Structures are given as structure tokens and as C-alpha cells.
Amino acid sequence: MLGRTANGLYWMFRYIERGENIARLIDAGLRMSLTRSGTGDDDWDGVLQSAGVREAYDEGHAKLTRADAIDYLLRDLSNPSSVMSCIDSGRNNARMVRTALTRETWEATNECWIELKALLSKRLKAAEMPEVIDVIKRRAGLIRGAFHGSMLRNELYNFARIGTFIERADNTSRILDVKYYVLLPSISQVGSSIDNVQWESILRSVSAHRSYSWAYDEEYKAANIADFLILNGQMPRSLAYCYEKIVSNLGYISSSYGGERLSAHDTADAIRTSLQTRQIKDVMDQGLHEFLEDFVNRNNQLGMEISDGYRFYV
């Protein structure tokens, strides 16, 4: 398979996943704001930092406000990580590899682009946000469903899945990091009702509220929620689950190429092992923010190794 085709599929699904997860990040920020008094504009500093676009935002805005931050994350095409930019880029990649996709996958991608282009053509009011975020999540789910239900299980499928899970692991880390940045008024409120509500908001933003109660059967606790989203291999947005899928799909590709292994296989194995053998107490002792920062760097390194190893730009 041409590296260019692998690159197109890998990035198509990274962009679709990123668009959905930026919407989930906005949702987390909105839910956090509800636990605060005042305008809550300062909370969006943390959301922008978690999305990795704080400095870029400052270049085009004199002041940080909630409305501007949401607009920048949602529909500003000068921001390559905005939802609309991601959907645009995802569709462009899909068009580039059109002959490698089933008709159902292409139509789901194109219809997503058409609906969101119309929906995000104007600045949105706060009351419209919940419905818009639901549309973005639903459209991204339809693309994944069409792809999963109609594609042959070959290396095309494997590269798309790797792109999905590398991006999802990155974004789950960033959504968890919002909790670090949106600090409580004082350390004395750790474990308080406000603290618990904020952790619950994190769960709701990744659609994990109900499954958390199935897995832990007790009230919200920071350590349990961090454990759920980092180390629980049954949770489809956890880092552990993402790395199970990345390692298995890299393994299928290796088999397709006669058992060839690249540095990416060793890096993915090492990250998966560290997630399988670590306890949540170790993560908390290291510091949640420090752990997540280190994970994001290692996850990025794996992405570069896959790109180099499979010659995406040849």
C-alpha cells in the first residue's frame, strides 16, 4: 500500500476524532463553568491550554472571554484544531483516498461536513451549544459506524484505527487535564461537593457517567475517575483501552508485511505495558498533570515513529 494512502486514512480519522473531542473539551469547560460564580471567563484559559492553542488564541484576541474562546475552538478556520477546521481536513483527506473508502463511509463524511458547515456558519448563542455539541458527536459516530460496518479488515482499516486511537488517547489526556488547570478556589475544597461535581462533569463530557457507576458502584472520587479514564481497559476512551487497540492494529500490519517490526511497535508495547502495570496511586503520587504531560509527549513520539516508519509522505 502506498504511504500516501496510509497517511490519508490515518489523518482522516485523526481529524474526525479530534473534531469530536474538541467539542467534548468545550462541553467539559461549559460544565465546569456552571460550578463557578461570576462570568467564568478565566476558566477558559485552562481549556485553551489543554487544547494546546492558548498562545495562538492570544495572537488574534486582545482579551480572553468565554464567548470568544468557544468560537475560536468551534468554528475559527485560522485555528487548525477548531472543530470546523478538523472536519474540513478530515473530508479533504477522505477525498484524497476516496477510492480506498466504501461509499457509506464517504457519504457519512461528506454529510457531516455539509451539516456542520451550515450549522457553524455563524457565531452561536450559549443556549445553542448543547444541541450543536450533540450534533458533532452524533455525526462523528455515524462516520465511525459506517466505516466499521463496511470496510474490509486489511491494512487500510488498521491505519485508520491507529489514527483514531492515537488521537483519542491524546484527547482523553487533555480533557482530564482541564481539571488540573481549572483549579478549585483553595486546596481545602479538594474532596468537597464542588470538587466532586467537577469530576462528574469530566465523566459526562466523555459520555462515561453511566459506565462509571457500573464499574465502581460508588460516589464520585477523583482517584476512581482518574483510574477509569487512564487505566481501566474496559472503558473505550481510557488510555489503556486505546493502547490495546493501537498495539493490536500495529500487530496486524506487521503480519501483513511479513512480521516486520519498527521502532513504533516497541514504543507502543512499552506504553501499553506501563499502563497495565501501573496503579492509580502511582499516577497520583507522580502528579496527575505531570503524568498526563509525559503521556502526551510519548503518544506524540509514537505518532511520529509511525509516520516515519511507514513512509507516510512518500
Side-chain angles (χ1 to χ4, degrees):
M1 181 174 59
L2 288 174
R4 196 174 300 164
T5 304
N7 176 58
L9 286 162
Y10 172 87
W11 277 105
M12 171 190 168
F13 279 88
R14 282 202 71 162
Y15 282 126
I16 298 298
E17 187 73 21
R18 186 177 301 176
E20 178 186 351
N21 282 290
I22 290 293
R24 291 180 181 277
L25 195 62
I26 295 169
D27 191 32
L30 287 169
R31 291 178 186 278
M32 293 285 195
S33 297
L34 295 177
T35 67
R36 303 279 203 155
S37 57
T39 63
D41 288 345
D42 292 342
D43 292 346
W44 291 87
D45 174 52
V47 176
L48 291 169
Q49 289 200 45
S50 295
V53 296
R54 183 65 176 96
E55 290 182 8
Y57 173 88
D58 284 343
E59 290 173 6
H61 300 81
K63 183 182 174 185
L64 174 60
T65 66
R66 182 173 81 163
D68 285 346
I70 291 174
D71 193 64
Y72 186 69
L73 290 168
L74 201 56
R75 53 185 292 276
D76 193 332
L77 293 178
S78 71
N79 170 15
S81 292
S82 73
V83 172
M84 198 60 239
S85 293
C86 289
I87 298 301
D88 256 349
S89 299
R91 179 177 178 269
N92 287 339
N93 277 270
R95 191 162 51 183
M96 186 175 75
V97 296
R98 174 71 185 84
T99 56
L101 294 173
T102 58
R103 180 175 58 83
E104 289 83 354
T105 307
W106 164 252
E107 287 180 356
T109 306
N110 200 41
E111 286 166 5
C112 171
W113 179 79
I114 291 170
E115 182 171 5
L116 291 186
K117 196 171 175 61
L119 204 58
L120 302 179
S121 62
K122 59 180 176 52
R123 200 175 177 103
L124 299 172
K125 297 173 183 172
E128 296 173 306
M129 289 308 303
E131 174 59 23
V132 170
I133 289 171
D134 280 348
V135 169
I136 295 166
K137 290 191 287 188
R138 188 164 60 245
R139 280 294 180 183
L142 287 172
I143 296 170
R144 278 196 302 273
F147 182 77
H148 190 78
S150 63
M151 286 292 292
L152 196 65
R153 269 30 176 192
N154 58 9
E155 65 263 45
L156 297 174
Y157 180 84
N158 298 136
F159 277 114
R161 295 287 282 173
I162 290 168
T164 295
F165 287 108
I166 285 186
E167 189 65 33
R168 185 176 296 178
D170 180 87
N171 283 282
T172 294
S173 307
R174 293 180 188 277
I175 288 173
L176 262 174
D177 218 19
V178 171
K179 182 67 178 76
Y180 167 82
Y181 278 114
V182 184
L183 292 173
L184 291 164
S186 77
I187 193 70
S188 64
Q189 289 190 294
V190 172
S192 67
S193 58
I194 293 178
D195 192 31
N196 290 338
V197 167
Q198 289 185 342
W199 279 109
E200 180 187 355
S201 299
I202 292 291
L203 280 179
R204 288 185 184 278
S205 71
V206 294
S207 304
H209 173 251
R210 180 163 297 179
S211 53
Y212 171 85
S213 64
W214 291 336
Y216 293 88
D217 195 25
E218 60 180 318
E219 63 183 19
Y220 303 115
K221 290 182 180 176
N224 284 349
I225 294 171
D227 181 68
F228 192 45
L229 295 180
I230 294 172
L231 303 178
N232 191 315
Q234 294 180 315
M235 168 57 191
R237 291 193 171 273
S238 74
L239 309 189
Y241 183 90
C242 289
Y243 264 82
E244 277 296 329
K245 297 301 177 188
I246 291 168
V247 168
S248 64
N249 281 281
L250 279 172
Y252 296 139
I253 292 172
S254 173
S255 298
S256 301
Y257 287 85
E260 180 189 27
R261 283 183 64 87
L262 306 171
S263 58
H265 292 87
D266 296 332
T267 301
D269 284 347
I271 296 173
R272 180 182 65 168
T273 301
S274 73
L275 292 168
Q276 287 175 334
T277 57
R278 196 181 293 254
Q279 302 294 317
I280 195 61
K281 181 178 181 307
D282 303 328
V283 173
M284 292 308 207
D285 287 347
Q286 178 183 347
L288 183 59
H289 173 65
E290 287 73 14
F291 169 83
L292 294 171
E293 195 171 47
D294 179 58
F295 176 84
V296 167
N297 289 334
R298 296 177 77 193
N299 196 51
N300 287 341
Q301 178 195 336
L302 175 62
M304 287 187 284
E305 288 177 353
I306 290 171
S307 174
D308 292 341
Y310 289 104
R311 302 177 182 177
F312 275 6
Y313 301 103
V314 174

